Amino acid sequence: MENISFRRIGAVCAIVGALVTGVSNGMHPELAEPAGIVRNAATSSGWTLVHWGLITGMVLMQLGYLALATTLRISGSDNASDWGSLSVHMLTLGLALWLCVFAAEASLTPLAETTRAGSGGGALAVAGFVEATATAATFVYWLGVALLGGALFLSQRYPRWIGATGVALGASISLSVGLLKAFSGASAWTERYGFQTLATLFLLWTLALGLLLWREPFRFAQPRGGE
């Protein structure tokens, strides 16, 4: 039997996490190359707070996705359950990479000050790590989102549009931002216009997932084989 309280806690986590992540991302300085990251860390007010907001928001969203995957196990579709489990593993790996990125960025403020004073270049090394890890995190995390969208699409429990949207957004960010940046380097698309637009749509998608998770999902169930 489904634990409705667990599902609704997951829904709240997804909604609050998307809001916190969206606000924190909006406060984050424009993405930049390693030297630019160091400058941002040294000059931006609230740098550490922004990154702790991103950490908190993405962890909350992950809890929402875990609750969502749990509902897929009783959706009546083995394929949906299997894809849901795979997506959770991929999302967890991607989240771990993002947490490394955010924690490293949060630690940059004191290092950036010493670099500006000419007493060390440690901040540039950390910023280089941030840049490379963020590229990998973008590819892995949103590949997990695409897999979760596929699981929702296969499920008898949720409307197909929410699954198709997840597949489209996840694949678009993973391939056109993460993979493109890995092979072609940073560009206006990967750092600003493309990524930020797609990321905003992704957060709106997560809000919609949270709302569906809060409501009774079985109202969207469709009978199989004309039953």
Side-chain angles (χ1 to χ4, degrees):
M1 180 180 295
E2 180 181 18
N3 188 326
I4 296 178
S5 296
F6 176 73
R7 173 166 59 80
R8 290 196 166 177
I9 290 172
V12 171
C13 287
I15 293 169
V16 174
L19 292 174
V20 171
T21 302
V23 171
S24 300
N25 185 60
M27 295 171 60
H28 195 289
E30 187 174 289
L31 300 178
E33 78 288 351
I37 295 174
V38 174
R39 288 193 299 271
N40 287 335
T43 60
S44 301
S45 60
W47 176 263
T48 302
L49 180 62
V50 165
H51 288 89
W52 275 107
L54 289 170
I55 290 172
T56 301
M58 292 194 73
V59 168
L60 287 174
M61 287 196 300
Q62 182 74 2
L63 294 175
Y65 298 146
L66 288 172
L68 185 67
T70 299
T71 69
L72 295 176
R73 294 172 190 164
I74 55 175
S75 66
S77 171
D78 292 337
N79 286 333
S81 178
D82 292 342
W83 281 87
S85 296
L86 180 59
S87 72
V88 166
H89 286 93
M90 191 67 69
L91 283 165
T92 301
L93 177 58
L95 176 64
L97 291 171
W98 275 122
L99 294 183
C100 289
V101 170
F102 298 145
E105 283 191 315
S107 72
L108 269 176
T109 299
L111 288 174
E113 292 295 338
T114 61
T115 298
R116 292 180 71 199
S119 58
L124 286 174
V126 174
F129 165 82
V130 165
E131 179 77 0
T133 308
T135 301
T138 301
F139 175 74
V140 173
Y141 185 82
W142 274 285
L143 180 57
V145 171
L147 292 172
L148 180 60
L152 293 170
F153 187 83
L154 293 172
S155 172
Q156 301 295 310
R157 183 164 190 165
Y158 295 95
R160 287 184 178 271
W161 68 263
I162 197 75
T165 303
V167 172
L169 286 173
S172 296
I173 300 177
S174 181
L175 299 178
S176 75
V177 178
L179 195 62
L180 180 63
K181 185 176 179 180
F183 285 96
S184 302
S187 65
W189 171 265
T190 62
E191 305 303 299
R192 294 189 294 276
Y193 310 118
F195 176 71
Q196 293 299 339
T197 299
L198 292 171
T200 300
L201 293 174
F202 158 71
L203 292 174
L204 292 174
W205 178 77
T206 301
L207 284 173
L209 274 184
L211 293 174
L212 289 176
L213 195 57
W214 177 269
R215 298 174 65 185
E216 177 50 63
F218 277 122
R219 72 180 60 195
F220 301 110
Q222 298 177 4
R224 296 183 179 185
E227 293 179 0

